[in-house]
């Protein structure tokens, strides 16, 4: 304890000297667990040798640790000390030459812009090859020596990659939670090589290298499965074979097979893994030797198995838990997905069916045109008799004894009502007037009752029409739910490998990720959802995540929304990334109300719907002023909401039409001019409901898109016509309201005059084009607009990276 306190006191003195001198020769001499471990590993790797005394492991580890927080001089001394204690003589001088050459070349190529791992490995290859070639030259330049020199340098090149992937040399290892298979195997290689440095330690027939190697295989197989277990078995077999040349090479395959079977039996627990290892060893012994002479000694297996079993589970989780965290997040992802999807689809289909049935019911009871029948006529007669004839002394004579004649008179009166809408005494037969004591009151009541009857019929027709519109809305809602169920039921192509790779990449970048989902949507485009610990709105993580996702997917990925969706309950952010579109759109708008100071009756919108579509819409309300503005604004607001929710264009337009019809007892209608641009392939879809033509300005011509239909809100049933075109880089889509068209119609060429004017515009700025067209329209009508005027211009251009 005293000696330990003394060491820490001296370490503190060195630290104070370091701070006073500002570094110097004491750079990175601060004592830490990681530095001590690095020096120890350097010493042990320096002791490891291959055939003919070749010792590339220590110098390779020295090169791989370049840039790490450990003193390079101490590390070089540790490697050389290990080589000397391992019996090296000539290798010490080539190691010194390697260390010197690597240090010099690292300074020379410090600013070379290539990946750090490749640069260090290349410098290590050159630094190892030069002294080896020089030794070959001194020995007479024999071909065998030359090949061994190339092998030595190539081995250093490979070992640098392995060591830099091991946990000991990964930056911010303490922050890492997940390791890839490559990193896990690299750790196993490093551990096995360190273990081979003490291969000569044995007691009572038990070899330390074999025992610890078997223990490592059991641990890796238990935590990472049969694949990693077999790989670690190969590594341990190689180390055992290198440390004891007497052992046959078949031992490599034996350890690999044992690791494979131990991983297969891992679900049975620790005992199951041990049984799998023993069974594999027994099978190979009988198959290869045909006797009881085992390949791996049973003593070594027994000691390693006992040690493996008695290790507490808590220690296993704390020390080796990182080995199984790679798949832990997605392990249960598939188990319930299909069942949940099936339940959700069935539920949605049931909802859709229910709405369809309700829609059919409303449609069946909705009579948009009420027809007068005998029952209505009888009801009309009864009301008149109740008001006029009830107290008359001749009531029994007219309605009892001469019932037939009275009814004939009433039918003639109804004929007159249907022709004129009212009656007077001249429309009543003379014989009836001569007998009736209350003729004036009779005529007055018939006209009053008939007026009430007409009002009643109007409202019945209105109710019937409303039922039909509600039927349309319910039918549209049913279709939307059915489409949603169909979309959910579609097999989504989840990219498991990309999810794992992105998970690891983000973990390396210090992003604390909870889950990663990568899939291809129905348009075969990548979408990524990343659930990670929030950064409290600082958005520092977005750039890192976008860059990492783009590298892993080899696609330019951008965030779908302006910010993460933060769950305040779980403190987890959900960031959605989508593939960046091929095309982009820039817009310009110019508009002018008919009367200055009055609201413009035209309204517009443009938005990216998030599924690779860009939507532009223009609506012109009936008339001018605030009333027209309210009508067009209602149409645009509903269209925005429906499109963002995922409604298809046809359903959205039909629902808007039915809502405008139901909106008021007054005339309430608006045009709808809808344009949807596919930002991936440039296809454009146009839907026009009572709207004027749209123009596509290309470099060589101007295309016109037309469709004939009534505005929305007039008829309960409308038919939509879809027009498809294609646009490319530099094209312009120009949408105008009827006020602009009317101003050009005053010229001789009419609509062609506007086409020629658009074709002559040389500006490439969408706002400039919109201003030019509006100013020309105002000029045509003498600065006094004939109607509200609006021009919406969208420029399509390719994204450049």
């Amino acid at each position: 304890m005293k000696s330990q306190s003394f060491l820490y006191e001296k370490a503190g003195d060195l630290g104070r000297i370091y701070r006073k001198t500002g570094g110097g020769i004491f750079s990175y001499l601060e004592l830490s667990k990681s530095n001590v471990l690095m020096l120890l590993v350097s010493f042990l790797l320096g002791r490891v040798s291959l055939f003919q005394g070749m010792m590339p492991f220590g110098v390779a580890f020295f090169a791989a640790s370049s840039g790490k927080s450990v003193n390079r001089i101490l590390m070089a001394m540790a490697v050389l000390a290990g080589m000397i204690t391992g019996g090296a003589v000539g290798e010490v001088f080539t190691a010194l030459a390697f260390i010197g050459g690597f240090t010099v070349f690292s300074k020379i190529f410090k600013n070379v812009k290539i990946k750090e791992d490749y640069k260090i490995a290349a410098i290590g290859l050159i630094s190892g090859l030069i002294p080896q070639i020089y030794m070959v030259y001194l020995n007479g330049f024999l071909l065998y020596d030359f090949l061994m020199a190339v092998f030595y340098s190539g081995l250093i090149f490979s070992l640098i990659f392995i060591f830099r992937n091991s946990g000991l040399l990964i930056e911010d290892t303490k922050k890492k939670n997940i390791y890839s298979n490559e990193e896990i195997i690299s750790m196993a290689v490093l551990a096995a090589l360190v273990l081979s440095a003490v291969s000569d330690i044995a007691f009572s027939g038990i070899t330390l290298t074999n025992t610890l190697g078997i223990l490592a295989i059991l641990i890796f197989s238990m935590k990472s499965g049969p694949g990693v277990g077999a790989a670690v078995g190969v590594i341990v077999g190689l180390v055992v074979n290198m440390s004891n040349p007497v052992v046959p090479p078949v031992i490599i395959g034996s350890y690999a097979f044992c690791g494979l079977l131990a991983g297969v039996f891992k679900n049975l627990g620790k005992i199951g893994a041990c049984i799998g290892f023993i069974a594999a060893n027994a099978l190979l012994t009988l198959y290869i030797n045909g006797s009881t002479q085992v390949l791996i000694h049973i003593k070594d297996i027994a000691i390693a198995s006992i040690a493996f079993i008695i290790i507490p589970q808590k220690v296993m989780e704390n020390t080796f838990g990182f080995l199984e965290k790679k798949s832990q997040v997605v392990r249960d992802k598939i188990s319930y997905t299909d069942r949940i999807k099936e339940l959700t689809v069935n539920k949605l289909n049931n909802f859709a069916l229910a709405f369809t049935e309700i829609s059919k019911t409303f449609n069946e009871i909705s009579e948009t045109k009420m027809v007068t029948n005998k029952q209505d006529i009888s009801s009309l007669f009864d009301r008149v008799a109740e008001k006029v004839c009830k107290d008359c002394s001749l009531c029994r004579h007219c309605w009892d004894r001469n019932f037939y004649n009275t009814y004939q008179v009433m039918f003639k009166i109804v004929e007159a009502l249907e022709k004129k809408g009212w009656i007077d005494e001249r429309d009543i037969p003379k014989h009836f007037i001569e007998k009736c004591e209350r003729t004036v009151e009779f005529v007055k009541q018939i006209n009053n009752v008939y007026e009430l009857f007409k009002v009643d019929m109007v409202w019945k027709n209105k109710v019937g029409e409303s039922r039909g519109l509600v039927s349309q809305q319910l039918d549209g809602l049913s279709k939307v739910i059915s489409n949603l169920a169909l979309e959910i039921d579609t097999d989504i192509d989840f990219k498991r490998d990309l999810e794992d790779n992105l998970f690891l990449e983000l973990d390396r970048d210090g992003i604390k990720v909870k889950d990663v989902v990568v899939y291809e949507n129905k348009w075969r485009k990548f979408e990524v959802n990343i659930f990670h610990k929030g950064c409290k709105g600082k958005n520092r993580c977005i750039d890192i995540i976008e860059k990492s996702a783009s590298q892993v997917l080899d696609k330019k990925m951008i965030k779908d929304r302006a910010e993460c969706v933060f769950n305040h309950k779980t403190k987890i952010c959900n960031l959605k990334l989508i593939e960046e579109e091929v095309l982009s759109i820039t817009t310009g708008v110019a508009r002018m109300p008919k009367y200055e100071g009055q609201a413009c009756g035209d309204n517009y919108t443009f938005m990216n719907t998030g599924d690779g579509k860009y939507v532009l819409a223009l609506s012109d309300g009936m008339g001018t002023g605030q009333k027209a503005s309210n009508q067009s604004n209602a149409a645009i607001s509903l269209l925005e909401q429906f499109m963002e929710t995922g409604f298809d264009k046809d359903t959205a337009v039909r629902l808007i039409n039915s809502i405008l019809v139901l909106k008021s007892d007054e005339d309430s209608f608006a045009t709808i001019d809808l344009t949807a641009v596919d930002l991936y392939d440039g296809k454009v879809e146009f839907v026009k409901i009572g709207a004027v033509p749209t123009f596509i300005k290309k470099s060589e011509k101007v295309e016109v898109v037309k469709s004939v239909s009534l505005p929305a809100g007039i008829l309960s049933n409308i038919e939509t016509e879809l027009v498809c075109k294609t646009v490319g880089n530099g094209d312009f889509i120009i949408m105008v309201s009827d006020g602009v068209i009317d101003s050009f119609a005053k010229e001789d060429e009419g609509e062609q005059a506007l086409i020629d004017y658009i074709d002559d515009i040389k500006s490439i700025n969408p706002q400039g084009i919109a201003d030019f067209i509006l100013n020309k329209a105002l000029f045509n009508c003498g600065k006094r607009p004939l109607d509200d005027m609006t021009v919406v211009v969208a420029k399509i251009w390719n994204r450049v990276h």
Side-chain angles (χ1 to χ4, degrees):
M1 291 296 292
K2 289 183 178 180
S3 60
Q4 188 176 10
S5 300
F6 174 76
L7 286 174
Y8 282 121
E9 183 180 348
K10 292 301 179 184
D13 293 339
L14 286 174
R16 284 189 290 273
I17 295 172
Y18 167 80
R19 287 188 290 272
K20 288 181 180 179
T21 59
I25 62 171
F26 294 101
S27 297
Y28 302 116
L29 279 181
E30 298 174 10
L31 288 179
S32 67
K33 292 180 180 179
S34 60
N35 287 347
V36 172
L37 183 59
M38 291 273 284
L39 295 175
L40 179 61
V41 171
S42 300
F43 172 80
L44 294 174
L45 289 177
R47 287 176 49 84
V48 181
S49 63
L50 290 174
F51 42 87
Q52 296 186 356
M54 189 179 291
M55 294 181 165
F57 302 104
V59 293
F61 189 76
F62 172 87
S65 63
S66 176
K68 309 301 177 183
S69 56
V70 61
N71 185 269
R72 307 294 291 162
I73 297 176
L74 290 180
M75 197 167 185
M77 292 173 61
V79 171
L80 294 174
M83 295 177 69
I84 292 171
T85 58
V89 181
E91 286 289 325
V92 174
F93 298 100
T94 56
L96 279 170
F98 175 92
I99 292 169
F102 184 87
T103 304
V104 172
F105 287 128
S106 296
K107 296 287 185 182
I108 295 172
F109 299 108
K110 182 178 181 180
N111 297 322
V112 176
K113 301 297 183 182
I114 61 173
K115 194 172 181 180
E116 192 68 13
D117 289 353
Y118 293 124
K119 181 168 69 174
I120 292 173
I123 294 173
L125 176 67
I126 297 170
S127 302
L129 190 60
I130 291 174
Q132 288 293 322
I133 293 296
Y134 180 72
M135 295 299 295
V136 171
Y137 171 76
L138 294 179
N139 292 330
F141 214 97
L142 299 176
L143 179 60
Y144 177 81
D145 293 338
F146 175 78
L147 292 176
M148 290 301 294
V150 173
F151 173 76
Y152 178 90
S153 304
L155 191 57
I156 289 177
F157 180 87
S158 303
L159 287 170
I160 288 174
F161 280 107
I162 293 173
F163 291 153
R164 286 187 70 82
N165 270 325
S166 66
L168 192 61
L169 295 180
I170 294 175
E171 288 289 346
D172 299 326
T173 303
K174 291 181 179 179
K175 297 180 181 179
K176 282 184 67 67
N177 297 313
I178 304 164
Y179 293 86
S180 65
N181 285 339
E182 292 80 8
E183 290 171 349
I184 292 172
I185 293 173
S186 296
M187 293 178 200
V189 171
L190 179 61
L193 290 172
V194 170
L195 185 61
S196 66
V198 292
S199 58
D200 52 349
I201 300 177
F203 52 92
S204 301
I206 300 171
T207 307
L208 182 61
T209 303
N210 293 353
T211 305
L212 294 179
I214 294 168
L215 180 60
I217 292 172
L218 291 172
I219 292 172
F220 278 87
S221 299
M222 185 69 187
K223 291 297 182 181
S224 298
V228 175
V232 175
V234 171
I235 297 166
V236 172
L238 280 170
V239 170
V240 171
N241 182 254
M242 286 189 305
S243 59
N244 190 358
V246 178
V247 177
V250 74
I251 197 70
I252 300 172
S254 178
Y255 275 105
F257 184 68
C258 292
L260 177 68
L261 221 58
V264 170
F265 283 85
K266 72 169 190 170
N267 291 332
L268 300 177
K270 291 183 178 180
I271 297 176
C274 295
I275 292 173
F277 192 101
I278 295 170
N281 184 47
L283 284 173
L284 283 181
T285 298
L286 294 173
Y287 179 78
I288 296 174
N289 291 341
S291 65
T292 57
Q293 185 180 354
V294 294
L295 295 172
I296 304 174
H297 295 295
I298 196 65
K299 287 184 180 180
D300 298 332
I301 298 175
I303 297 299
S305 299
I306 292 171
F308 176 66
I309 292 171
I310 64 175
I311 295 175
Q313 188 64 29
K314 187 176 181 179
V315 174
M316 286 283 290
E317 292 296 330
N318 293 338
T319 309
F320 305 105
F322 67 92
L323 295 175
E324 64 180 353
K325 281 188 178 179
K326 177 186 174 184
S327 302
Q328 189 173 359
V329 177
V330 296
R331 186 172 295 162
D332 297 327
K333 192 181 291 182
I334 307 174
S335 57
Y336 294 104
T337 301
D338 292 337
R339 186 175 179 185
I340 292 172
K341 184 169 72 172
E342 183 180 353
L343 291 172
T344 304
V345 168
N346 289 337
K347 204 76 170 175
L348 289 174
N349 283 330
N350 289 336
F351 278 125
L353 184 61
F355 282 118
T356 301
E357 292 301 321
I358 297 173
S359 172
K360 288 180 180 179
T361 302
F362 270 96
N363 190 48
E364 290 171 357
I365 64 175
S366 64
E367 296 183 24
T368 56
K369 187 66 176 176
M370 302 297 293
V371 180
T372 304
N373 52 36
K374 291 183 179 180
Q375 186 177 357
D376 296 324
I377 300 297
S378 299
S379 176
L380 183 73
F381 295 164
D382 292 341
R383 291 181 187 179
V384 173
E386 181 72 19
K387 291 179 180 288
V388 179
C389 305
K390 184 178 180 180
D391 299 330
C392 181
S393 59
L394 296 175
C395 178
R396 184 177 295 274
H397 172 78
C398 296
W399 293 100
D400 191 4
R401 299 171 188 168
N402 293 308
F403 178 80
Y404 178 77
N405 291 330
T406 304
Y407 247 71
Q408 290 296 322
V409 172
M410 297 300 289
F411 275 113
K412 288 181 180 180
I413 292 173
V414 169
E415 290 178 3
L417 286 171
E418 289 179 346
K419 289 179 181 179
K420 296 167 55 179
W422 55 276
I423 65 166
D424 54 23
E425 293 182 6
R426 290 172 296 179
D427 296 312
I428 302 174
K430 290 183 179 181
H431 69 273
F432 187 83
I433 294 177
E434 293 172 353
K435 295 178 181 180
C436 184
E437 297 177 349
R438 302 179 179 182
T439 304
V440 176
E441 188 178 357
F442 182 76
V443 171
K444 180 181 177 181
Q445 288 299 329
I446 283 181
N447 286 328
N448 289 339
V449 170
Y450 187 68
E451 284 298 321
L452 292 174
F453 174 76
K454 288 193 296 183
V455 171
D456 186 47
M457 293 299 291
V458 168
W459 279 107
K460 284 183 177 180
N461 286 330
K462 194 74 174 177
V463 170
E465 185 181 17
S466 299
R467 287 170 178 168
L469 294 171
V470 171
S471 172
Q472 289 183 20
Q473 293 179 345
L474 291 171
D475 186 59
L477 186 58
S478 172
K479 289 179 180 177
V480 170
I481 296 175
S482 296
N483 292 335
L484 177 60
L486 183 62
E487 188 172 339
I488 292 175
D489 197 33
T490 303
D491 289 332
I492 300 175
D493 187 10
F494 289 101
K495 303 297 182 181
R496 307 295 179 192
D497 293 341
L498 293 176
E499 288 175 354
D500 290 343
N501 293 338
L502 183 55
F503 210 118
L504 294 167
E505 187 67 27
L506 292 173
D507 189 68
R508 289 192 189 99
D509 292 335
I511 304 296
K512 296 180 179 179
V513 181
K514 298 296 182 182
D515 194 8
V516 174
V517 179
V518 181
Y519 62 94
E520 282 187 346
N521 58 27
K522 59 182 179 181
W523 300 282
R524 310 307 298 170
K525 302 298 179 182
F526 281 120
E527 290 189 16
V528 180
N529 282 284
I530 297 170
F531 302 87
H532 62 99
K533 189 174 181 180
C535 56
K536 299 180 181 179
K538 297 178 181 178
N539 290 336
R540 292 180 299 181
C541 56
I542 292 179
D543 293 336
I544 298 174
I545 293 175
E546 283 186 351
K547 182 179 178 181
S548 299
S550 299
Q551 289 176 350
V552 172
L553 273 65
D554 197 24
K555 303 280 185 181
K556 178 63 177 175
M557 305 299 295
I558 58 174
K559 62 181 179 295
D560 185 32
R561 302 182 183 91
E563 299 177 350
C564 293
V565 178
F566 183 70
N567 188 323
H568 293 277
K569 185 177 180 180
T570 61
K571 307 298 182 183
I572 297 297
C573 277
N574 176 15
L575 177 63
K576 182 180 180 181
L577 304 178
I578 58 173
E579 275 192 50
E580 188 178 49
E581 297 93 351
V582 177
L583 300 174
S584 185
I585 290 181
T586 305
T587 56
V589 179
R591 62 176 182 165
M592 176 72 67
K594 182 177 181 179
Y595 301 107
E596 187 176 354
Q598 193 177 56
C600 183
D602 303 335
N603 275 285
Y604 64 91
T605 187
F606 33 78
M607 59 180 176
N608 192 324
T609 59
D611 57 358
K613 297 290 180 65
Y614 194 93
V615 173
L616 302 101
L618 176 62
S619 179
D620 182 3
M622 182 186 69
T624 60
Q626 189 61 49
K627 180 181 176 182
S629 178
N630 292 340
Q631 293 166 357
S632 61
N633 184 59
I636 290 296
S637 299
L638 289 168
L639 186 63
E640 286 178 333
Q641 188 62 46
F642 289 149
M643 296 302 291
E644 287 179 353
T645 309
F647 284 54
D648 63 85
K649 293 177 285 296
D650 184 66
T651 302
V653 170
R654 289 179 181 275
L655 288 175
I656 292 171
N657 177 72
S658 64
I659 291 171
L660 289 178
V661 172
L662 290 170
K663 187 173 182 289
S664 174
D665 55 350
E666 302 177 0
D667 290 335
S668 177
F669 61 83
T671 66
I672 298 176
D673 197 354
L674 178 65
T675 302
V677 184
D678 192 313
L679 297 177
Y680 291 108
D681 57 16
K683 292 182 180 179
V684 189
E685 296 176 338
F686 298 91
V687 176
K688 291 184 172 293
I689 307 298
V692 297
T694 294
F695 307 93
I696 303 176
K697 177 177 171 57
K698 295 178 177 286
S699 57
E700 69 281 358
K701 62 177 179 178
V702 175
E703 295 183 9
V704 182
V705 180
K706 290 183 178 181
S707 179
V708 179
S709 63
L710 291 173
I714 296 180
L715 300 177
S716 57
N717 290 306
I718 59 171
E719 295 296 329
T720 58
E721 180 183 353
L722 192 67
V723 180
C724 297
K725 297 286 184 179
T726 302
V727 295
N729 185 38
D731 292 346
F732 295 88
I733 298 174
I734 302 172
M735 304 168 66
V736 298
S737 61
D738 57 357
V740 176
I741 294 290
D742 293 343
S743 70
F744 278 87
K746 297 180 68 176
E747 301 185 8
D748 295 337
E749 299 86 355
E751 183 183 299
Q752 186 60 41
L754 176 56
I755 296 173
D756 294 338
Y757 183 77
I758 292 174
D759 196 25
D760 292 337
I761 296 176
K762 303 303 179 184
S763 174
I764 59 174
N765 181 358
Q767 185 59 54
I769 293 175
D771 292 336
F772 283 142
I773 295 174
L774 182 63
N775 291 334
K776 177 63 175 175
L778 287 171
F779 176 80
N780 289 344
C781 55
K783 301 295 182 180
R784 298 181 65 182
L786 303 175
D787 196 357
D788 298 320
M789 295 183 179
T790 301
V791 183
V792 177
V793 181
K795 179 183 179 181
I796 290 86
W797 50 277
N798 288 333
R799 294 180 182 269
V800 179
H801 297 299

